[in-house]
Amino acid sequence: MLDIFNLEKQTNKRVQRFLLHKSTEENIQPANARLVMNVIIGKVSVHLYEQHRFIKTLSIRAIVEFFGKEYDETKVDSFPAHLKKISLENNIEFSKANIVICETKGEVKAHLYNENRYVKRLSTIDLLTAIY
């Protein structure tokens, strides 16, 4: 039987390793690293922040390949539809929806924001499945 809780935990650990890797590259504290995902002008954007300070934009290809997957542009194009669905379900204007992945109390988790206002926690598995 598939253990969704354990799968979510494993996925979060992989994302945590990715944040550690990127933080080390950029010489920032991993606990302060944030990935902010949104759609800008129809394209998926992923940005690395240290707390609220912008560090750099990351490519979806680099993220997908870090997880050992083959980059598929058609899969990445499904992310805007996924974000649109989440936005509608939570009464958020699509252009104001942001997904933030960060470490909270020692665990990496994904969160939905309406601009800078916290809305709710999201499943990291669902989120990453929409990308690859």
Side-chain angles (χ1 to χ4, degrees):
M1 179 175 218
L2 187 61
D3 183 357
I4 298 297
F5 179 73
N6 193 34
L7 192 56
E8 178 79 15
K9 200 169 190 171
Q10 289 174 358
T11 302
N12 288 339
K13 284 186 181 196
R14 287 182 181 167
V15 174
Q16 190 170 31
R17 282 197 301 270
F18 178 77
L19 277 174
L20 176 64
H21 174 71
K22 287 298 169 189
S23 299
T24 302
E25 281 184 352
E26 299 301 324
N27 199 29
I28 61 175
Q29 290 294 318
N32 295 333
R34 311 266 184 271
L35 289 179
V36 177
M37 303 173 73
N38 51 23
V39 177
I40 300 174
I41 312 170
K43 291 281 188 185
V44 177
S45 297
V46 181
H47 308 285
L48 178 65
Y49 283 81
E50 179 182 29
Q51 295 287 29
H52 300 288
R53 184 174 67 91
F54 173 78
I55 302 296
K56 72 188 272 186
T57 299
L58 304 173
S59 76
I60 296 292
R61 179 182 293 273
I63 295 168
V64 171
E65 290 174 352
F66 180 86
F67 286 97
K69 301 287 185 176
E70 190 173 318
Y71 181 74
D72 181 357
E73 189 71 40
T74 60
K75 268 299 229 182
V76 174
D77 288 342
S78 69
F79 181 76
H82 183 68
L83 185 56
K84 205 172 269 190
K85 177 183 168 230
I86 293 170
S87 299
L88 284 171
E89 289 171 351
N90 292 281
N91 300 317
I92 299 172
E93 189 177 317
F94 176 62
S95 64
K96 294 181 180 181
N98 292 310
I99 294 176
V100 177
I101 300 175
C102 61
E103 191 173 310
T104 306
K105 297 179 184 174
E107 289 185 48
V108 169
K109 297 180 180 174
H111 310 274
L112 176 64
Y113 280 79
N114 182 352
E115 289 186 310
N116 296 326
R117 221 171 37 247
Y118 179 81
V119 177
K120 72 177 195 177
R121 184 169 182 274
L122 299 172
S123 165
T124 310
I125 294 171
D126 291 346
L127 180 64
L128 294 179
T129 301
I131 296 173
Y132 62 79

